Amino acid sequence: MTAPLIAITSGEPAGIGPELCAVLAAHEWPVRPVVIGDLALITARVACTDRHVAVRAFDASQPPVPGMLDVLHVPLDVASEPGVLDTRNAAYVIRTLDVAVEGCRSGHFAAMVTAPVQKNVINDAGIPFTGHTEYLADQTQTPRVVMMLAGEYGEPRRWMRVAVATTHLPLAEVPAAITPDLLEDSLRIMHKDLRDKFGLVSPRILVSGLNPHAGEGGHMGREEIDVIQPVLDKLRAEGLQLIGPLPADTLFVPHQLERGDAVLAMYHDQGLATLKFATFGGGINVTLGLPFIRTSVDHGTALDLAGKGCADPGSLIAAMNCAINMLGYRS
């Protein structure tokens, strides 16, 4: 039986993404990783690591070889130096994503895993880009997706899964963005994908409030009363297991987290600061609601480490394992 192909986009060429890909050839997987990026770039950056990995151009007719990294060549626009951003390669980064999306939509790839990109250099090149999550939704014409980060924490090891209702928005714009439709769609997507792709038969979702102390009965804001609570009541009546709205400052204590399988926070830093503190280096990012599986590392491009071969590949390994597990749970 032919192993499914997993597309791995190598990310910002000046960052650590290209060299992290070396770990893919050093592991045995039940799938076949295919790195998408410039062949010469990947070869040079893999050589910076202490892993004994060879690099070759991907050819589907050739069987995988242990210790060999398959690269689907997408050429750089200009040569890239580790740690030095160049707007002239912004379009290259977008092309690698487009190749992976096209391959996933056609069924050539079973899933995609993404290394980090540098949003500001893409925007400085004149390409509107707020993040992988929003870009993939746009490219697949998916009206609503949900960004969820996950990772193991504590002793004994337990999973923390945190999704956000709003993603890369200025904080001042968040309250107006928290609408009944947004919350209902987000919770339905979470419920479906936690069930179908994570194997949770009846997922329990903890929902945070927006305001301090979840609004303190309306004295610190009415979003909980006017927006969040009515949505939770509606979906509970349909059988969804929803707990909240809960004060965000105490939601992440262990006895609260044990009540649920995942958290829906209202905005980016409200949920992800705690998750990254607890799981950084081994956490992952998952886009829920897409027509295919996409996972990612939970860190940035680490320009100061690029080309030194010392970046921790733990998050990339975790993202690969999550994609593989999700493929096994697909209905």
Side-chain angles (χ1 to χ4, degrees):
M1 180 178 177
T2 304
L5 302 178
I6 305 293
I8 297 91
T9 57
S10 52
E12 165 56 48
I16 61 173
E19 64 205 72
L20 287 179
C21 294
V23 75
L24 300 171
H27 274 62
E28 291 187 15
W29 308 99
V31 296
R32 184 175 181 180
V34 178
V35 175
I36 300 175
D38 184 273
L39 184 62
L41 170 74
I42 305 298
T43 302
R45 297 297 168 77
V46 166
C48 294
T49 73
D50 60 1
R51 300 182 185 278
H52 302 292
V53 170
V55 179
R56 68 177 180 182
F58 171 66
D59 183 342
S61 67
Q62 294 180 339
V65 175
M68 183 76 72
L69 189 66
D70 287 314
V71 176
L72 179 56
H73 179 58
V74 174
L76 283 165
D77 289 309
V78 295
S80 178
E81 182 180 343
V84 181
L85 297 171
D86 193 324
T87 56
R88 292 174 295 176
N89 277 325
Y92 156 82
V93 174
I94 297 299
R95 288 197 300 274
T96 65
L97 293 176
D98 290 344
V99 168
V101 169
E102 182 180 352
C104 286
R105 299 194 74 179
S106 70
H108 182 62
F109 295 124
M112 68 184 288
V113 176
T114 56
V117 298
Q118 190 83 17
K119 299 185 189 74
N120 66 302
V121 77
I122 298 173
N123 285 295
D124 288 346
I127 302 171
F129 186 87
T130 54
H132 278 110
T133 304
E134 298 86 352
Y135 185 78
L136 296 177
D138 181 67
Q139 292 303 107
T140 57
Q141 295 84 51
T142 306
R144 189 90 74 197
V145 296
V146 174
M147 183 170 76
M148 184 178 80
L149 270 69
E152 289 186 296
Y153 74 103
E155 293 296 340
R157 305 297 282 169
R158 290 167 291 190
W159 277 96
M160 184 189 301
R161 302 179 183 92
V162 181
V164 287
T166 60
T167 52
H168 301 109
L169 281 181
L171 191 57
E173 298 178 15
V174 168
I178 304 293
T179 64
D181 285 347
L182 172 74
L183 291 178
E184 182 175 338
D185 288 349
S186 298
L187 287 164
R188 289 189 188 280
I189 290 169
M190 285 183 70
H191 176 82
K192 182 179 186 301
D193 277 10
L194 287 170
R195 182 191 63 205
D196 295 348
K197 295 178 180 177
F198 286 85
L200 299 170
V201 176
S202 185
R204 302 164 300 162
I205 301 173
L206 307 173
V207 182
S208 77
L210 172 65
N211 298 296
H213 301 181
E216 197 75 67
H219 294 287
M220 292 188 184
R222 293 193 55 86
E223 284 85 359
E224 289 77 13
I225 296 170
D226 296 338
V227 181
I228 301 174
Q229 189 67 59
V231 172
L232 301 189
D233 290 341
K234 175 183 177 180
L235 296 180
R236 286 191 192 108
E238 297 180 17
L240 274 68
Q241 294 197 65
L242 307 173
I243 304 167
L246 300 170
D249 62 341
T250 54
L251 191 161
F252 293 97
V253 297
H255 80 271
Q256 286 280 32
L257 288 176
E258 289 169 5
R259 301 170 63 196
D261 300 299
V263 172
L264 178 65
M266 292 298 108
Y267 57 92
H268 187 281
D269 288 11
Q270 184 190 56
L272 302 190
T274 299
L275 181 135
K276 290 191 176 186
F277 173 77
T279 71
F280 198 72
I284 58 162
N285 186 343
V286 184
T287 306
L288 307 178
L290 287 173
F292 50 78
I293 289 169
R294 178 259 171 168
T295 67
S296 180
V297 298
D298 72 343
H299 57 71
T301 55
L303 298 172
D304 57 324
L305 300 180
K308 298 176 181 178
C310 61
D312 184 353
S315 186
L316 180 60
I317 294 170
M320 279 291 294
N321 282 325
C322 182
I324 291 165
N325 290 337
M326 291 172 72
L327 284 168
Y329 283 128
R330 291 185 78 175
S331 58

